[in-house]
Amino acid sequence: MPDAGLRVGVRADRRPGRAGPRRPRRTGRHRPPGPHRRTRRGHHRAGRRRRARRRLAQPARPGWAEAFERAAAALRDAGVRTVPVDVTALLAAARLLYEGAFVAERYAAVGDFVSAHPDAVDPVVGAIIRAAGELPAHRLFADLETLDRLRMAAAAALEGTDAVLLPTTTQHPTLAAVAADPVGVNSDLGRFTNFANLLDLAAVAVPAGDVDGLPFGVQLVGPAFSDARLARIGRLLTGEQATPVADPAEPPTATSGGTVPLAVVGAHLRGQPRNGELTARGATFTRATTTAPDYRLHALATTPPKPGLERVVRGGAAIEVEVWDLPATGFADLVARLPHPMAIGPVRLADGTSVSGFLCEPVALADVRDITASGGWRRHLADTAVATGRVPDGVGVG
């Protein structure tokens, strides 16, 4: 069974007759305020076993708890094992989106326009943005500190997991309900989603049937760039045929031949001064390609000169790389001897696959030249040779 290593939790507290989102009881024990599941590999630790025995709240809308359980059961039927996980930190971060000072970002973006054109903006949105302009700076810094603590707590809760299973929302409000309390209703609708951007998490929404003629859905949440893995788990719920896609959050493993594909971008390219570090370890060249258009390239002040590859959220470009296959032992030795500020991590290629590759620690990129426009290290060296009439010492242009 291909997904037998996955685990998702199921035990929960139910009150099907109660309307509206429910709050945790105030008892001597902490009771996380939302339904949740997580997938995980490996053995339970004692603390996690204690968490597994706690009773966890479910969606309170009639029929929603049962629909959520059916989704978890469908994963179990597909070979997934289930355990509960504490998502208190996730839900606390979600509340910061509406109740904290991060709304000041909206004022910084459009506050002047809203103030100058009050009639051109939805009155509710306008009121929120104008109020955000009155928030003191110390509130934002306090919330940033709170978010840092919640991020660490969330990371601990997700450690060793494949994904967390949550509902996508809490209700189907009427237009009248939204008009009566637009902020409250929207905050409630995002109870299980508003934390994702703040905590830099990935999420995939999956349809999970109907309740009383209205759609019900669940979502799978995981670390940033785990989208492919989440989609693979989601297909267990929808029955869709899986399409092989590399997961950037999971470094590629050795092939059946015992080699690891490695993307190189600078001094390890063919004809460059450190290419011998690959060939001496038994590496073989497989192809020349480019990264996905999500990267920037920088000229580092190192000897010999070499570039630093950085993945960015926006403003990236495709950068020329070579892919080499290294024996697993040679790959391990290369990584163990890697000098600062170089690092090895997942690199997305133009065809959507992901391989291990050379990246650069962000701390080394503060005051270096951005050479992304060159499209690659060789082109940068050629441009430099034309502009200066000389090639930098220790490098080759070919």
Side-chain angles (χ1 to χ4, degrees):
M1 191 174 297
D3 294 293
L6 302 175
R7 295 186 181 181
V8 180
V10 293
R11 188 174 180 184
D13 207 9
R14 300 182 186 175
R15 295 183 191 172
R18 177 171 173 166
R22 108 176 312 125
R23 297 180 180 276
R25 295 186 206 165
R26 296 181 180 275
T27 68
R29 294 188 304 177
H30 168 69
R31 298 173 184 258
H36 42 282
R37 305 286 184 269
R38 82 170 168 190
T39 65
R40 54 178 294 183
R41 306 179 192 272
H43 298 286
H44 294 286
R45 294 176 183 158
R48 288 173 180 159
R49 285 196 295 267
R50 288 193 294 272
R51 282 204 299 268
R53 290 195 291 267
R54 296 172 180 166
R55 298 178 64 78
L56 309 173
Q58 283 281 8
R61 301 290 169 183
W64 282 34
E66 292 77 8
F68 187 73
E69 285 298 330
R70 285 195 295 272
L75 290 177
R76 285 196 297 272
D77 291 343
V80 175
R81 299 179 64 188
T82 59
V83 295
V85 61
D86 188 338
V87 294
T88 303
L90 303 184
L91 303 184
R95 290 193 293 273
L96 283 177
L97 186 65
Y98 281 90
E99 300 173 15
F102 294 110
V103 70
E105 184 178 13
R106 303 183 188 184
Y107 184 85
V110 297
D112 290 342
F113 176 86
V114 170
S115 298
H117 307 86
D119 296 334
V121 181
D122 176 88
V124 175
V125 175
I128 293 172
I129 292 176
R130 285 192 293 272
E134 302 300 321
L135 289 169
H138 67 81
R139 276 280 309 278
L140 177 59
F141 280 93
D143 285 350
L144 285 170
E145 184 177 349
T146 298
L147 186 61
D148 282 341
R149 290 198 300 269
L150 293 174
R151 185 178 291 111
M152 289 188 290
L158 271 64
E159 182 184 3
T161 68
D162 293 290
V164 175
L165 182 69
L166 293 165
T168 52
T169 190
T170 59
Q171 57 172 305
H172 289 297
T174 63
L175 293 177
V178 175
D181 184 14
V183 176
V185 169
N186 278 281
S187 180
D188 186 52
L189 289 172
R191 183 186 188 200
F192 299 114
T193 56
N194 287 343
F195 60 78
N197 283 349
L198 290 174
L199 296 178
D200 194 24
L201 298 174
V204 172
V206 183
D210 296 329
V211 177
D212 293 334
L214 294 174
F216 177 80
V218 295
Q219 62 177 327
L220 293 152
V221 180
F225 310 121
S226 64
D227 310 64
R229 182 173 69 233
L230 299 178
R232 178 171 65 87
I233 300 172
R235 291 188 184 98
L236 299 177
L237 293 171
T238 64
E240 296 178 42
Q241 183 66 34
T243 301
V245 178
D247 187 345
E250 298 179 351
T253 56
T255 66
S256 58
T259 61
V260 179
L262 178 69
V264 300
V265 70
H268 289 87
L269 294 167
R270 289 173 297 171
Q272 295 304 307
R274 293 200 166 170
N275 180 254
E277 295 179 2
L278 300 182
T279 56
R281 290 172 170 84
T284 57
F285 171 79
T286 61
R287 58 184 166 132
T289 183
T290 67
T291 67
D294 304 324
Y295 293 85
R296 297 201 70 80
L297 194 66
H298 307 266
L300 304 179
T302 59
T303 303
K306 57 178 173 283
L309 186 67
E310 174 195 23
R311 186 172 184 178
V312 294
V313 176
R314 58 182 63 88
I319 304 299
E320 293 178 346
V321 297
E322 291 179 356
V323 180
W324 290 69
D325 276 350
L326 272 79
T329 54
F331 176 79
D333 184 65
L334 181 72
V335 173
R337 299 171 184 270
L338 205 61
H340 171 81
M342 308 313 297
I344 298 292
V347 173
R348 290 191 63 194
L349 302 180
D351 61 3
T353 61
S354 179
V355 299
S356 293
F358 280 94
L359 297 168
C360 186
E361 296 179 15
V363 69
L365 302 177
D367 299 308
V368 298
R369 180 184 172 193
D370 189 306
I371 57 172
T372 306
S374 67
W377 184 239
R378 281 200 182 93
R379 291 186 187 179
H380 165 70
L381 294 177
D383 292 345
T384 300
V386 170
T388 63
R390 63 182 295 272
V391 177
D393 294 338
V395 302
V397 177

